[in-house]
Amino acid sequence: MSESTPPPKKMNLNREEMPKQPAEVRRGNFKEVALGYPLETARREASRCIQCKKPLCVTGCPVEVPIPGFIKHIASGDMPQAVRVLKSKNCLPAICGRVCPQEEQCEAKCILEKKGAPVAIGRLERFAADWEAAQGKMEMPEIPKSTGKKVVVVGSGPAGITVAGDLIKLGHAVTLYEALHEPGGVLTYGIPEFRLPKAIVKREVDYVRSLGVNLVLNFVVGMTKTLEELLEEFDAAFIGTGAGLPWFMDIPGENLNGVYSANEYLTRMNLMRGFLYPRSDTPIKKQTRVAVVGGGNVAMDCARTALRLGAAEVRIVYRRSRQELPARLEEVENAEEEGVHFEFLTLPTRYVGDADGWIHEMECLKMQLGEPDASGRRRPVKIEGSEYLSPVDAAVCAIGNSPNPLIPRTTAGLEMGKHGNIVADPATGKTSKDRVWAGGDIVTGAATVILAMGAGRVAARAMHEYLSGEKI
Ligand code: FAD
Ligand code: SF4
């Protein structure tokens, strides 16, 4: 069907909007911005799915959720069945429904996307998962007889949780070690409460624990025990330690007080609940003018967090133009609605401190776009002599992260990539080390929740084959 062909009558192009907190209200609180579909809206949206015989949306989902299947049950009102179908492939649907970049994945492939109104797959996924939670009890899968095999999973982010959930459902004993005092990885310490309430992460982690996974917190593999030592106790290991090592720009003044990495800033807020200080132990200095450097989702999260902490002026400083912003459009719009300013084609060159060592000014240089670089985006080029100073009392550097280096550094025989990532076979997650698999950001570098889960699923399948000799 060509772009100009009118859609068949059956195609309903009225995508249902999801209610959200008004911008002027939400910028003053940490509660979730998007409020979810009410039942009737969800059913109307679900009825828009035309149940394609060859559903392309499924090919756009890294964990191959049977999308038309679960949507069909929402449309007919059979919610228990909708949840069953959804969870047959996705163990974290309430999270994916909220944070997956659906516009680049399943929704980008939906046949209705050609008409500009794809079925709101993510919102329906969220609806089904929240419906189940509202019933007060989750359906538990049957756990088979123990295989007698023991698996260790390192890191409780989406990759580790997926591996742990999949392997316990296949009868293996799973111990999950987490370095921090709370499980969930970036879902807990990175993504802010107003986008992903921590109660939802806890609910999903509790589900995996209730299947019998032994979660051990405050256990840093590579320090508390090495991977080599764990391999003496366990039959196989999975490394899902993520990409938590922040990048800095290496410019003067980065060590001043008030200059944060996005990781530190968000961890103080999310994991340590700094926004509740003094009810929580972790303070954050009151800031009036905040600059966030970077243009990705992490930068949007930091800027919107700063607004909620009461900053009068929050700006995103990005060296390319609006067209090149890597953040999801929805997040950029949310940030703008809330009052975040964007300073495009701007590069920080130095931070200036006061006599007490606190940042009080930032020097920037204007840029212009040149030829495309290796990423296909036009390269930013400095405009010499365009430096200017502006007052700030906090700067947050959100320009990217590298894989966590501790396990690679303390484990012999792990082949490493040139960006500090662990090398693993994409088809199995197998590393160069005997009995060790890996997946998620530690392998790919900073990516997405669903890709980490997809990698976890692939590795769990391969680990099961190794442990049992049986193909899934
Ligand atoms: P992680 O989530 O990083 O989890 C790794 C875990 O391993 C951590 O809990 C860590 O403490 C633990 N660990 C590390 N070293 C050790 C050790 N030696 N011993 C024991 N435990 C260890 N993706 C999206 O899809 N949508 C979004 O909207 C989105 N927003 C984001 C916002 C922010 C602020 C950030 C930082 C990332 C965002 N991402 C988003 C990316 C996404 O969260 C990650 O790609 C994903 O969490 C990677 O999962 P993972 O399991 O590989 O690692
Ligand atoms: Fe439904 Fe769109 Fe998937 Fe077709 S592509 S099955 S319309 S969600």
Side-chain angles (χ1 to χ4, degrees), residues 99 101 154-159 177-180 185-186 190-191 195 219-221 240-243 266 298 301 404 406-407 440-441 447-449 452:
V99 303
V154 189
S156 66
Y177 287 120
E178 168 54 50
L180 297 172
V186 171
I191 304 181
R195 254 187 346 109
F219 192 108
V220 186
V221 175
T241 46
L266 292 172
V298 179
D301 283 345
N404 282 326
L406 184 60
I407 292 191
D441 283 5
T448 62
V449 172

Side-chain angles (χ1 to χ4, degrees), residues 4-236:
S4 56
T5 315
K9 281 220 171 61
K10 271 194 283 182
M11 277 198 190
N12 170 358
L13 300 180
N14 294 319
R15 186 173 149 110
E16 296 288 338
E17 282 308 316
M18 179 160 61
K20 47 183 187 177
Q21 285 194 66
E24 63 285 2
V25 175
R26 66 181 195 244
R27 60 169 283 167
N29 68 56
F30 277 85
K31 291 191 198 131
E32 192 172 13
V33 168
L35 301 173
Y37 279 150
L39 174 66
E40 281 316 310
T41 316
R43 290 189 64 182
R44 268 201 309 277
E45 181 60 26
S47 323
R48 293 181 58 230
C49 171
I50 58 171
Q51 297 290 315
C52 304
K53 283 219 165 58
K54 283 193 186 154
L56 292 177
C57 52
V58 178
T59 64
C61 172
V63 295
E64 295 171 5
V65 166
I67 293 166
F70 93 83
I71 289 183
K72 178 176 72 186
H73 294 300
I74 297 182
S76 70
D78 185 351
M79 288 308 300
Q81 192 56 14
V83 172
R84 237 168 264 138
V85 174
L86 174 59
K87 289 179 90 173
S88 68
K89 287 290 174 91
N90 186 344
C91 65
L92 305 174
I95 293 168
C96 292
R98 284 171 168 81
V99 303
C100 268
Q102 290 103 9
E103 67 283 1
E104 293 166 17
Q105 298 178 345
C106 52
E107 291 182 15
K109 299 265 175 131
C110 172
I111 196 84
L112 275 73
E113 158 62 19
K114 291 209 173 69
K115 303 289 166 194
V119 173
I121 301 167
R123 293 172 186 177
L124 291 173
E125 189 174 20
R126 164 192 171 134
F127 173 77
D130 288 359
W131 176 88
E132 187 192 30
Q135 308 314 300
K137 66 177 175 44
M138 295 213 184
E139 221 168 84
M140 301 302 283
E142 216 166 286
I143 303 291
K145 210 166 105 288
S146 164
T147 60
K149 300 288 182 189
K150 288 164 63 189
V151 178
V152 58
V153 175
V154 189
S156 66
I161 294 173
T162 304
V163 173
D166 282 6
L167 288 179
I168 197 117
K169 284 192 225 158
L170 290 163
H172 308 296
V174 181
T175 299
L176 175 54
Y177 287 120
E178 168 54 50
L180 297 172
H181 62 276
E182 294 277 354
V186 171
L187 307 175
T188 298
Y189 77 76
I191 304 181
E193 178 79 20
F194 55 82
R195 254 187 346 109
L196 180 61
K198 300 311 146 205
I200 289 169
V201 181
K202 182 170 180 316
R203 186 171 89 203
E204 306 274 9
V205 172
D206 283 351
Y207 168 74
V208 176
R209 281 175 96 167
S210 68
L211 300 177
V213 170
N214 174 27
L215 172 66
V216 183
L217 300 171
N218 300 308
F219 192 108
V220 186
V221 175
M223 286 176 91
T224 321
K225 271 190 183 177
T226 63
L227 188 67
E228 310 277 2
E229 286 168 325
L230 293 173
L231 283 168
E232 287 168 19
E233 294 169 40
F234 293 90
D235 298 294

